[in-house]
Amino acid sequence: MTLKRFACLLPFTASALLAQQPQQVFGYRDFTQQAKWDAAFLAVPDAKLAGQHLKTLTAEPHWASSPEDYKTAQYVAEKFKAAGLDTKIVPYSVLMNKPISIAIEAHDANGKLLMSGPSPEHVDPTKDGGDPFQDDPRVTPAFNGSSPSGDITGEVVFANFGTLADFKKLAALGVSVKDKIVLVRYGGNFRGVKVYIAQQYGAKGVLIYSDPADDGYVKGDMYPKGPYRPESGVQRGSTQFLPIYPGDPETPGIASTPDLPDSKRIPADKLQKNQPSIPANPLSYKDAAPILQALGGPQTPRDWQGGLPFTYHLGGAPGAAAVTVHMHLEQETKLRTIWDVIGTIPGTDPEQKDDWVVAGNHRDAWVYGAVDPNSGTAAMLETVHGLGDLLKQGWKPKRTIVIGSWDAEEEGLIGSTEWVEDNAEHLKHAVAYFNTDVGVAGPDFNASAVPSLKQFVREVTQGVASPQGGTVYDAWKKSQEDGHGRRGQSEFANGANNKSTEVHVGDLGSGSDFTPFIQHMGVPSTDIGSEGPYGVYHSVFDNYNWFTKFADPTFVYEQQQARVFGLEILHMADADILPYDYRPYSKEIAGYIVTAQQKAEAAKLGLDFAAATKAAARFSAAAQTAYRSQTGTPTDLAALNRALRDAESALLDPEGLPRRSWYKHVIYSPGEFTGYAAVVIPGVTEAIDEPDAARAQAQIARLAEAVNRSADMLELAK
Amino acid sequence: MTLKRFACLLPFTASALLAQQPQQVFGYRDFTQQAKWDAAFLAVPDAKLAGQHLKTLTAEPHWASSPEDYKTAQYVAEKFKAAGLDTKIVPYSVLMNKPISIAIEAHDANGKLLMSGPSPEHVDPTKDGGDPFQDDPRVTPAFNGSSPSGDITGEVVFANFGTLADFKKLAALGVSVKDKIVLVRYGGNFRGVKVYIAQQYGAKGVLIYSDPADDGYVKGDMYPKGPYRPESGVQRGSTQFLPIYPGDPETPGIASTPDLPDSKRIPADKLQKNQPSIPANPLSYKDAAPILQALGGPQTPRDWQGGLPFTYHLGGAPGAAAVTVHMHLEQETKLRTIWDVIGTIPGTDPEQKDDWVVAGNHRDAWVYGAVDPNSGTAAMLETVHGLGDLLKQGWKPKRTIVIGSWDAEEEGLIGSTEWVEDNAEHLKHAVAYFNTDVGVAGPDFNASAVPSLKQFVREVTQGVASPQGGTVYDAWKKSQEDGHGRRGQSEFANGANNKSTEVHVGDLGSGSDFTPFIQHMGVPSTDIGSEGPYGVYHSVFDNYNWFTKFADPTFVYEQQQARVFGLEILHMADADILPYDYRPYSKEIAGYIVTAQQKAEAAKLGLDFAAATKAAARFSAAAQTAYRSQTGTPTDLAALNRALRDAESALLDPEGLPRRSWYKHVIYSPGEFTGYAAVVIPGVTEAIDEPDAARAQAQIARLAEAVNRSADMLELAK
């Protein structure tokens, strides 16, 4: 019924929705028919329905592998089926920890109890409407994924954000973390990296707290008055060594199907690679403040001072007033079943139907996950709703569309990684992966993408109306001009993209499900969402009440997100010529090489970049040639598309990166010491940073080979 | 006895003390004899004796006009006499307020009491040694000088630092301060300016608190553990409208001698000019926090957030949760006697003995004043000690030396201003005023000066050994390279001085006793001191205990300060040729004019700067000529020195600045809306800022006239 009603309205709404649909769209010889399908699609995603999806999906805590998680899988599968997708619930059996009990106590040098926790996440129910979700007994306790069990006691040292620079600074100040429990604050890098570095420095445990300077009262009013983290709010999260590899720790490179024999698994006692050996746990600042305040020793460097009302000290100096923490973490780490939901719309072009367009979002949440991830799920369901309507109107895509609702992302991209490993052969000729995780946290649209798809994303957003007036692109540009939401995850400042007056599209680091697609398989990827002041990340307060108060009360940004996500899928599935633009990619690569060369020269490493520079120049010329073919009148469309498609996966190095061979992409990876943020030309850059001149020179060679391989492909793009 | 012992040691200590005494010293034809006197002088100032002076001077609270203040005058006078100075205690009768009672209460919108104070300044006596001085019943209550009495009740609005920009921002946000009590934090400008602007915006009262982000726990450990302001610490201070005029409010331009007839005084009911009409009082953050925390209304702009542990709000918005403050200030404002101590060493050069070299420091304190001002007094007494020793050894200065121990500086530079007004005729041919206020707060030497004396200060510091090794100049340079203590008080960024790789010498704004000398009389001035982490400014905790824990436990920086101060006096009193270098001055002036021109062009004011530019060019050429004369073989030394001397006072405009005619100097004044910080070419700059094009054009003409007058003088320097 609903679908029909919308179908009737199409002729009227289409022109209004397509605020400024471009006449010429890259990849299309004639956009006329696609414009009609776009209009038909854009009319469908419904704000109210998105709100209903969100309410249903977030009604209960639905931690990966829980019965409530399975209920959300069933809900999503139903919606997929209703839209006409070929739908499966795909289980994997993966190793995950869940706490049986968590107890953390701190005492000062005189044995006085400073803190016994963790405190429950709780706000005053009588103020500002309180929070209706906080008291559910199924709320996941505050814990870190991938933490082992542990019963340890140690003196505390404060290490700021726990970056490599912070640990180096501590060492330079003469403060050892050996056999200490390190207290770090969230921010600056991925939490798993904090533990990774702490472990390397010999710490025996890690506590990670949320400082009010980072997402609490210093930023603005706290929940429930405002959107920022309240005193008791905790950021749960995985401390997997994500930059080593994501997914099920026991099965890097292969899928953890339920029938996988144990012999194919790395035994738990040999699990050194992507799992910490020291325990870690998150804390609210309510629990961390008494520890931090009691620390003796020298003052921290002044730029380590956070927002708590006392002077921060390092602790741990010889003779300093010591704080002793006892961490008793009892984790049940075992194989658990998770459920991806996969919906497929088969492609119809005989030559390209196997060239999948994959789009996905994770579904599992630390607790309720209204923003992270179900704002994305709700939008995706309305995207699927729109695709379903098109199917009913007779639309058939050229390329096969696969929609994934991933599970256990929070534990370390497990659902997506296992599925990617399960479908590796097929994904070798996938043409794109479109991700959304935090679909909506506020009004500021933002995106990251491989360089070849940056212009594609800009173009798609020019076809969708913004609730703020104009197009999503216009609002995105304005929000960046106002200083909001400039996603710039990569650790460099020289790339051509950054100098542009165009809207900035970030680089893909990690921290969401695009990682296995782009960095393991070389599938060109994007990641989109709409951001805002969001201080309740991974806490019990990321729930429907928070969402409807602060993120998107009328779900219009949900609708926007469904539309943008849908246009990405439609245009990639139906373009005559794959809409990659490799010219910006070539500028980025050339810029990265120049930056690396400057760093190497500053460090006097005596490296020879000639091979890489030459390869980049060749790639650049080939990108120009390809672009001319794409915009000209190619003779063999199928051959052109194959060449374009394979240019990205040609950038994979079969050997992978040093120390982390699962990561194959020579241009982008999560940084070994950053996690979330991309490191560009990582093999070369990280060897220079270390510094290891021999390794750097070898990596320059491998980079040059990969770029040449990619140029080979682009030269075939005729 | 002591003196003799030191005299005996001279031959040994001199070479050690003169780490790298330059061979050629600007202003001396032959430095040989002066080098001997320098060595003799430098051997005298004694660290232990300085410590004893400090201990004696700060034994009791000695607020200006109090009996204890008179005791310090007697102590200083005794030391002056003992050194052989012709010594007088010079009284003035000046209008000053002192509170009989101060009561401040705050209630929230429901009538709940939030705060009743002010709280006494107090730290826990059982921790970190406590504070032995805090409980003296004579401790001045926390109040603001120049505040009228008042019994007012009003809603509170928070206005950040209370700068002009802050009040403009509030207005732009739709928050009116009309009939409100404005809560502002210290910092960003002079406190009297906060009240000046608040009064203009219609506020009925002002509360000024110390935010922990500015001098409390955010900066570092709080007293008594560290040097920063504790929770209950209050910054007292004058809220005089200093940029209008300093000194006794009833007698601008004339001296408040005890025999001044009442008819020469402005009647109190007509006192509008440099005294606020609305009451003001300082608060600790202990007392301010409950008010600030209870404020409703919109969040402040995020860069207004301070260091207190909650989100700051503006209050005062329609319908916002209001905080009501009741201020009951009963001030006794009456004529009080203050005492300058003046010591003179007569000059012997028949032609130059009336060209005074004046040096001074204030003696009165808000409470104990260990750093501010008696670290300066203690050092100055050791300087005098050294001069006395030279006298005993037969030294006689060319020019008369006058040493002033000023009173009532804290209330608004009253003692120095009245003395300057009293001796105006004589000061017309003074050759320098050397100020020190905070003599020692830590190890980082720093200075401000008129441009003609910047190189002089650098040269003097090259003649004194630093406790850190090398010379004071070396340590000064290093501390600036390390990012410490770069005094840059003026509001411009274009001057030649700032571009130099030389050690930076700041510009003279206001806030200490150099103001009447340079800005009213045109006497070339410097201001020196040794800085450090100092969070107890104007509180009870600025006492001997704080000083010996954090500033200078062994008084070696006291000794250094006495030496540098002494060399300034000696070299200025005995130089053959006055050691002003007008070449940097000409660069500064030319730079200021360019900056003003750029501002005027940006504001499209259509101003004609030709006359000023031409005058500056002439001044520049004349400065070069003068310098050649100074370093050549001038025929008439006396004429050369007269010309050099009068070049500075030629920069006075007899009409003074618009709206504040007491300020006569056309190049430097305290900013009308800054107070402490210098505004350069203030008549022009402030008219451009307003903007008032007609006034700016008229001020350009007056600037050109003054610069031409000064060039006239320099052209005579042959």
Side-chain angles (χ1 to χ4, degrees):
Chain A
M1 279 292 285
T2 310
L3 296 177
K4 273 199 181 157
R5 182 163 56 80
F6 275 99
C8 297
L9 285 171
L10 272 182
F12 302 102
T13 51
S15 62
L17 292 167
L18 289 166
Q20 52 179 78
Q21 183 71 30
Q23 297 300 302
Q24 275 289 91
V25 173
F26 186 50
Y28 284 88
R29 298 171 137 188
D30 178 352
F31 197 64
T32 317
Q33 178 55 44
Q34 184 65 47
K36 289 178 190 166
W37 288 124
D38 280 5
F41 168 77
L42 290 169
V44 183
D46 184 79
K48 273 196 188 157
L49 288 176
Q52 286 172 22
H53 299 317
L54 186 69
K55 193 169 185 179
T56 306
L57 290 163
T58 64
E60 301 170 303
H62 51 287
W63 184 71
S65 81
S66 68
E68 295 82 1
D69 175 39
Y70 188 66
K71 277 166 72 179
T72 62
Q74 288 177 305
Y75 181 82
V76 167
E78 273 165 31
K79 297 294 167 193
F80 281 13
K81 281 177 197 160
L85 277 60
D86 175 14
T87 303
K88 295 180 289 189
I89 294 183
V90 181
Y92 293 101
S93 183
V94 302
L95 194 75
M96 283 166 46
N97 66 307
K98 190 182 179 186
I100 293 163
S101 74
I102 301 278
I104 297 166
E105 281 194 344
H107 291 84
D108 72 10
N110 303 318
K112 188 184 137 200
L113 182 71
L114 297 168
M115 182 278 285
S116 177
S119 303
E121 289 182 292
H122 203 267
V123 295
D124 186 340
T126 69
K127 282 192 183 154
D128 300 302
D131 179 79
F133 289 95
Q134 62 189 358
D135 295 328
D136 191 298
R138 294 167 296 185
V139 169
T140 336
F143 78 104
N144 281 135
S146 291
S147 172
S149 292
D151 187 6
I152 59 171
T153 302
E155 282 187 22
V156 176
V157 169
F158 175 61
N160 198 30
F161 290 115
T163 65
L164 193 58
D166 292 334
F167 279 96
K168 284 182 176 168
K169 180 78 184 175
L170 267 184
L173 293 169
V175 177
S176 168
V177 301
K178 182 103 178 71
D179 294 324
K180 302 285 170 63
I181 291 176
V182 177
L183 177 65
V184 294
R185 62 199 263 207
Y186 273 112
N189 58 5
F190 173 66
R191 72 184 82 69
V193 170
K194 300 174 196 290
V195 180
Y196 180 67
I197 306 171
Q199 182 175 312
Q200 288 179 25
Y201 272 80
K204 62 159 59 162
V206 181
L207 293 170
I208 318 173
Y209 82 101
S210 298
D211 196 285
D214 301 317
D215 59 11
Y217 53 72
V218 176
K219 293 287 185 191
D221 283 322
M222 296 186 292
Y223 184 74
K225 184 175 184 186
Y228 288 101
R229 192 179 299 278
E231 190 183 8
S232 66
V234 188
Q235 183 189 137
R236 293 158 189 77
S238 174
T239 53
Q240 183 195 66
F241 295 166
L242 170 64
I244 307 302
Y245 61 86
D248 180 10
E250 295 183 324
T251 67
I254 58 173
S256 300
T257 52
D259 58 357
L260 185 75
D262 280 357
S263 61
K264 294 278 178 92
R265 294 184 161 270
I266 304 173
D269 63 346
K270 293 200 174 149
L271 259 191
Q272 294 296 331
K273 286 197 76 179
N274 84 338
Q275 297 290 289
S277 60
I278 59 173
N281 214 74
L283 289 179
S284 65
Y285 80 78
K286 182 181 179 183
D287 286 341
I291 300 173
L292 202 43
Q293 186 162 19
L295 285 182
Q299 290 180 21
T300 63
R302 282 299 78 205
D303 57 353
W304 290 19
Q305 178 77 27
L308 291 167
F310 46 79
T311 306
Y312 290 23
H313 291 75
L314 297 174
V323 175
T324 302
V325 158
H326 177 209
M327 293 172 70
H328 183 90
L329 314 185
E330 199 181 341
Q331 309 276 5
E332 187 182 35
T333 302
K334 63 174 190 184
L335 289 183
R336 299 172 192 267
T337 302
I338 61 168
W339 306 276
D340 291 343
V341 183
I342 307 295
T344 305
I345 302 173
T348 51
D349 180 313
E351 303 217 44
Q352 297 187 81
K353 65 184 161 61
D354 287 340
D355 293 1
W356 289 357
V357 174
V358 188
N361 152 267
H362 78 94
R363 194 186 64 249
D364 66 299
W366 281 111
V367 193
Y368 297 99
V371 167
D372 178 8
N374 299 124
S375 63
T377 319
M380 188 169 81
L381 289 181
E382 280 308 291
T383 300
V384 167
H385 178 189
L387 297 179
D389 246 31
L390 293 197
L391 287 173
K392 289 181 182 71
Q393 293 173 45
W395 164 75
K396 291 182 198 303
K398 281 196 181 72
R399 302 178 184 88
T400 295
I401 295 169
V402 181
I403 312 285
S405 169
W406 317 120
D407 205 351
E409 188 268 0
E410 295 297 6
E411 281 65 28
L413 323 182
I414 299 181
S416 57
T417 298
E418 299 312 312
W419 187 84
V420 165
E421 291 169 346
D422 210 5
N423 293 272
E425 277 310 307
H426 226 119
L427 289 168
K428 282 182 180 164
H429 40 92
V431 295
Y433 173 65
F434 299 122
N435 191 64
T436 186
D437 184 338
V438 170
V440 180
D444 299 324
F445 182 82
N446 225 329
S448 300
V450 289
S452 56
L453 287 177
K454 287 184 177 182
Q455 188 56 29
F456 173 77
V457 175
R458 293 189 193 106
E459 206 171 66
V460 158
T461 58
Q462 283 162 359
V464 178
S466 163
Q468 297 162 47
T471 66
V472 173
Y473 178 84
D474 298 335
W476 184 14
K477 190 156 196 217
K478 183 170 183 310
S479 88
Q480 288 196 352
E481 285 162 2
D482 294 349
H484 296 274
R486 189 176 162 87
R487 258 193 216 191
Q489 296 170 304
S490 68
E491 281 205 323
F492 85 101
N494 255 347
N497 187 43
N498 279 5
K499 282 180 195 147
S500 165
T501 56
E502 254 291 12
V503 71
H504 176 83
V505 181
D507 295 320
L508 294 163
S510 189
S512 195
D513 295 305
F514 54 79
T515 274
F517 290 93
I518 177 65
Q519 291 150 355
H520 187 60
M521 290 303 302
V523 180
S525 299
T526 74
D527 184 34
I528 64 167
S530 187
E531 303 171 351
Y534 171 48
V536 296
Y537 175 62
H538 287 191
S539 77
V540 73
F541 307 115
D542 181 358
N543 59 39
Y544 189 78
N545 189 59
W546 186 95
F547 188 92
T548 51
K549 271 181 95 161
F550 301 113
D552 189 15
T554 56
F555 309 104
V556 288
Y557 290 97
E558 283 287 328
Q559 184 180 45
Q560 167 185 303
Q561 173 75 3
R563 286 169 170 166
V564 176
F565 200 57
L567 282 200
E568 283 192 295
I569 297 167
L570 285 178
H571 288 195
M572 189 58 71
D574 282 334
D576 302 313
I577 299 158
L578 287 166
Y580 310 132
D581 186 349
Y582 277 98
R583 296 170 309 162
Y585 214 143
S586 71
K587 284 188 198 156
E588 298 273 4
I589 292 174
Y592 302 158
I593 292 171
V594 169
T595 303
Q597 197 161 5
Q598 287 164 346
K599 274 173 93 168
E601 277 163 18
K604 301 203 169 96
L605 297 186
L607 299 181
D608 180 356
F609 280 80
T613 306
K614 201 173 152 195
R618 218 192 118 202
F619 182 88
S620 177
Q624 292 287 352
T625 308
Y627 184 76
R628 275 194 298 274
S629 305
Q630 289 171 284
T631 50
T633 48
T635 48
D636 183 349
L637 271 186
L640 171 61
N641 280 333
R642 273 197 305 278
L644 290 167
R645 180 194 74 191
D646 294 342
E648 181 76 45
S649 53
L651 292 169
L652 301 184
D653 178 347
E655 280 200 11
L657 294 178
R659 291 204 288 248
R660 46 205 190 104
S661 62
W662 185 91
Y663 285 98
K664 308 290 188 196
H665 203 286
V666 298
I667 311 297
Y668 297 104
S669 81
E672 181 181 356
F673 296 106
T674 62
Y676 288 131
V679 166
V680 297
I681 52 169
V684 177
T685 302
E686 295 188 337
I688 291 171
D689 286 347
E690 194 132 325
D692 181 337
R695 195 177 100 199
Q697 192 63 62
Q699 287 293 313
I700 290 169
R702 304 197 70 83
L703 169 66
E705 281 168 31
V707 172
N708 275 322
R709 275 197 304 276
S710 186
D712 288 344
M713 286 301 137
L714 288 177
E715 284 167 0
L716 295 176
K718 287 173 190 163
Chain B
M1 278 294 280
T2 310
L3 295 178
K4 274 200 182 158
R5 181 161 57 81
F6 274 99
C8 296
L9 285 172
L10 272 183
F12 302 102
T13 52
S15 61
L17 293 166
L18 289 167
Q20 54 179 80
Q21 183 71 29
Q23 298 300 303
Q24 274 290 89
V25 173
F26 185 49
Y28 285 87
R29 297 172 138 188
D30 178 351
F31 196 66
T32 316
Q33 179 54 44
Q34 184 65 47
K36 290 178 188 163
W37 288 125
D38 280 6
F41 167 78
L42 290 170
V44 184
D46 184 78
K48 272 195 190 156
L49 288 176
Q52 286 172 23
H53 299 316
L54 186 69
K55 193 169 186 178
T56 307
L57 290 163
T58 63
E60 301 170 302
H62 50 289
W63 185 71
S65 82
S66 68
E68 295 83 1
D69 175 39
Y70 188 67
K71 277 165 72 178
T72 63
Q74 288 177 306
Y75 180 83
V76 167
E78 274 166 32
K79 298 295 166 192
F80 280 12
K81 280 178 199 160
L85 277 59
D86 176 14
T87 304
K88 295 180 288 187
I89 293 183
V90 182
Y92 294 101
S93 181
V94 302
L95 194 75
M96 283 165 47
N97 65 308
K98 190 182 180 186
I100 293 164
S101 74
I102 301 278
I104 297 166
E105 282 194 343
H107 291 84
D108 71 9
N110 304 317
K112 188 184 137 199
L113 182 70
L114 297 168
M115 182 279 284
S116 177
S119 303
E121 287 183 294
H122 203 268
V123 294
D124 185 340
T126 68
K127 283 193 183 153
D128 301 301
D131 179 78
F133 290 96
Q134 62 189 359
D135 295 328
D136 192 297
R138 294 167 297 184
V139 170
T140 336
F143 76 106
N144 281 135
S146 292
S147 171
S149 293
D151 188 6
I152 59 171
T153 301
E155 282 186 22
V156 176
V157 169
F158 175 61
N160 198 31
F161 290 114
T163 64
L164 193 58
D166 292 334
F167 279 96
K168 283 181 177 169
K169 180 79 183 174
L170 267 185
L173 293 168
V175 177
S176 168
V177 301
K178 181 101 178 77
D179 295 324
K180 303 284 170 62
I181 291 176
V182 177
L183 177 66
V184 294
R185 63 200 262 206
Y186 274 111
N189 58 6
F190 173 66
R191 72 184 83 69
V193 169
K194 299 174 196 289
V195 180
Y196 180 66
I197 305 171
Q199 183 174 311
Q200 288 179 25
Y201 272 80
K204 63 160 57 163
V206 181
L207 293 171
I208 317 174
Y209 83 101
S210 298
D211 195 285
D214 301 318
D215 59 11
Y217 53 72
V218 175
K219 293 287 185 191
D221 282 322
M222 295 186 293
Y223 184 75
K225 183 175 185 187
Y228 289 101
R229 192 179 299 277
E231 189 183 8
S232 65
V234 188
Q235 184 189 136
R236 293 158 189 76
S238 173
T239 53
Q240 184 195 65
F241 295 167
L242 170 64
I244 307 302
Y245 61 85
D248 180 10
E250 294 183 324
T251 67
I254 58 173
S256 299
T257 51
D259 58 357
L260 185 74
D262 280 357
S263 61
K264 294 278 178 92
R265 293 184 163 270
I266 303 172
D269 62 348
K270 293 199 176 151
L271 259 191
Q272 294 297 331
K273 285 197 76 179
N274 84 339
Q275 298 290 289
S277 59
I278 58 173
N281 214 75
L283 290 179
S284 65
Y285 80 77
K286 182 180 180 184
D287 287 340
I291 300 173
L292 202 43
Q293 187 162 20
L295 284 182
Q299 290 180 22
T300 63
R302 283 298 79 205
D303 57 353
W304 290 19
Q305 178 77 27
L308 292 167
F310 46 78
T311 306
Y312 289 23
H313 291 74
L314 297 174
V323 175
T324 302
V325 158
H326 178 209
M327 292 172 71
H328 183 92
L329 313 185
E330 200 181 341
Q331 308 277 5
E332 186 181 37
T333 303
K334 64 174 189 184
L335 289 182
R336 299 172 192 268
T337 301
I338 61 168
W339 306 276
D340 291 344
V341 183
I342 307 294
T344 306
I345 302 173
T348 52
D349 180 312
E351 303 217 43
Q352 297 187 82
K353 65 183 162 61
D354 287 341
D355 294 0
W356 289 358
V357 174
V358 188
N361 152 266
H362 79 93
R363 194 188 64 249
D364 65 299
W366 279 110
V367 193
Y368 297 99
V371 167
D372 177 9
N374 298 125
S375 63
T377 319
M380 187 169 83
L381 289 180
E382 280 310 290
T383 300
V384 167
H385 178 190
L387 298 178
D389 246 31
L390 293 198
L391 286 172
K392 289 181 181 72
Q393 294 173 45
W395 164 76
K396 291 183 201 300
K398 281 196 181 72
R399 302 178 183 89
T400 295
I401 295 169
V402 181
I403 313 284
S405 168
W406 316 120
D407 206 350
E409 188 267 0
E410 295 295 7
E411 281 65 29
L413 323 181
I414 298 180
S416 58
T417 298
E418 298 313 312
W419 186 84
V420 165
E421 291 169 345
D422 209 6
N423 293 273
E425 277 309 308
H426 228 118
L427 289 168
K428 282 182 182 165
H429 41 92
V431 294
Y433 173 65
F434 299 122
N435 191 64
T436 187
D437 183 338
V438 171
V440 180
D444 299 324
F445 182 82
N446 224 328
S448 300
V450 289
S452 57
L453 287 177
K454 287 183 177 182
Q455 188 55 31
F456 172 78
V457 175
R458 294 189 193 106
E459 207 171 65
V460 160
T461 58
Q462 282 162 0
V464 178
S466 164
Q468 297 162 48
T471 65
V472 173
Y473 178 84
D474 298 336
W476 184 15
K477 190 153 196 222
K478 183 169 184 310
S479 88
Q480 287 196 352
E481 285 162 1
D482 294 349
H484 295 273
R486 189 175 161 89
R487 258 193 216 191
Q489 296 170 305
S490 67
E491 282 204 322
F492 84 100
N494 255 347
N497 186 46
N498 279 5
K499 284 180 196 147
S500 166
T501 55
E502 253 291 12
V503 71
H504 175 83
V505 182
D507 296 318
L508 294 164
S510 188
S512 194
D513 294 306
F514 54 79
T515 273
F517 290 93
I518 177 66
Q519 290 151 354
H520 187 62
M521 290 304 302
V523 179
S525 299
T526 74
D527 184 36
I528 64 167
S530 187
E531 303 171 352
Y534 171 48
V536 296
Y537 175 62
H538 287 192
S539 78
V540 73
F541 308 113
D542 181 358
N543 58 41
Y544 189 78
N545 189 59
W546 186 95
F547 188 92
T548 51
K549 271 180 96 160
F550 301 113
D552 189 14
T554 56
F555 309 105
V556 288
Y557 290 97
E558 283 287 328
Q559 184 180 44
Q560 167 186 303
Q561 173 74 3
R563 287 169 171 167
V564 176
F565 201 57
L567 281 200
E568 282 191 295
I569 296 166
L570 286 177
H571 288 195
M572 189 58 72
D574 282 334
D576 303 311
I577 298 158
L578 288 166
Y580 310 132
D581 186 349
Y582 277 98
R583 296 171 308 160
Y585 216 144
S586 70
K587 283 188 197 157
E588 298 273 4
I589 292 174
Y592 302 159
I593 291 170
V594 168
T595 304
Q597 197 161 5
Q598 287 164 345
K599 275 174 93 169
E601 277 163 18
K604 302 203 168 95
L605 297 185
L607 300 181
D608 181 357
F609 279 80
T613 307
K614 201 173 152 194
R618 218 191 118 202
F619 182 89
S620 178
Q624 292 287 354
T625 308
Y627 184 75
R628 277 194 296 274
S629 304
Q630 288 171 282
T631 50
T633 48
T635 47
D636 183 349
L637 270 187
L640 172 60
N641 279 334
R642 272 197 306 278
L644 291 168
R645 179 194 75 191
D646 295 342
E648 180 78 44
S649 53
L651 291 169
L652 300 184
D653 179 347
E655 279 199 14
L657 294 178
R659 292 204 287 249
R660 46 205 191 105
S661 62
W662 186 90
Y663 285 98
K664 309 289 188 196
H665 203 286
V666 298
I667 311 297
Y668 297 104
S669 80
E672 180 181 357
F673 295 106
T674 63
Y676 288 130
V679 167
V680 297
I681 53 169
V684 177
T685 302
E686 295 189 335
I688 291 170
D689 285 347
E690 194 132 325
D692 180 338
R695 196 177 99 200
Q697 193 61 64
Q699 287 293 313
I700 290 169
R702 304 197 70 85
L703 169 67
E705 281 169 32
V707 173
N708 275 320
R709 276 197 302 276
S710 186
D712 287 344
M713 285 301 137
L714 289 178
E715 284 168 0
L716 294 176
K718 287 173 190 163

